[in-house]
């Protein structure tokens, strides 16, 4: 009788150890899958970081181009103003000589 009770306990212990083993294996597999996903996400974040950095460089270059364009536009406006003033003087002089 005692040996039957011991066998039942041993059987229960074997069952518990088997369940623990299965839980450990399942947990290990889950952790491996999570690690793979984390590696994938890390690679994506790194790639996105590089894209953001590249876009930053492009924005900087665009701002520089816009500034150059604005300066060029300002120079053109100054030249047009001078040309308009010169044409106004010429028109005034031409009108003055026609009246004589």
């Amino acid at each position: 009788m005692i040996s039957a009770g011991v066998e039942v306990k041993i059987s229960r212990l074997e069952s518990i150890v088997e369940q623990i083993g299965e839980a450990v294996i399942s947990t290990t597999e889950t952790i491996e899958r999570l690690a793979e996903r984390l590696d994938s996400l890390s690679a994506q974040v790194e790639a996105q970081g590089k894209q953001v950095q590249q876009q930053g460089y492009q924005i900087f270059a665009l701002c520089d181009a816009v500034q150059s364009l604005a300066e060029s536009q300002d120079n053109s406006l100054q030249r047009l103003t001078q040309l308009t003033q010169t044409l106004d003087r010429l028109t005034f002089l031409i009108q003055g000589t026609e009246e004589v």
Side-chain angles (χ1 to χ4, degrees):
M1 289 196 177
I2 295 178
S3 73
V6 171
E7 286 182 29
V8 169
K9 290 182 181 181
I10 290 175
S11 176
R12 286 184 190 169
L13 285 174
E14 287 175 348
S15 175
I16 291 171
V17 168
E18 183 179 343
Q19 289 174 0
I20 290 172
E22 289 173 357
V24 168
I25 290 172
S26 176
T27 302
T28 302
E29 291 172 351
T30 301
I31 289 173
E32 287 175 356
R33 284 194 304 272
L34 287 173
E36 289 172 1
R37 289 180 182 172
L38 185 59
D39 287 343
S40 176
L41 286 173
S42 295
Q44 289 175 3
V45 167
E46 184 178 351
Q48 288 175 352
K50 289 179 181 178
Q51 288 176 346
V52 168
Q53 184 179 25
Q54 186 65 31
Q55 288 172 348
Y57 294 145
Q58 291 171 345
I59 289 170
F60 178 77
L62 181 60
C63 289
D64 190 46
V66 168
Q67 183 177 358
S68 295
L69 180 61
E71 290 170 0
S72 176
Q73 182 72 15
D74 187 47
N75 290 338
S76 295
L77 183 60
Q78 288 176 5
R79 288 181 182 171
L80 281 172
T81 301
Q82 290 173 353
L83 180 60
T84 302
Q85 291 171 352
T86 303
L87 287 173
D88 285 343
R89 281 188 233 123
L90 278 173
T91 303
F92 178 75
L93 290 173
I94 291 172
Q95 289 175 351
T97 57
E98 289 177 354
E99 293 176 2
V100 174

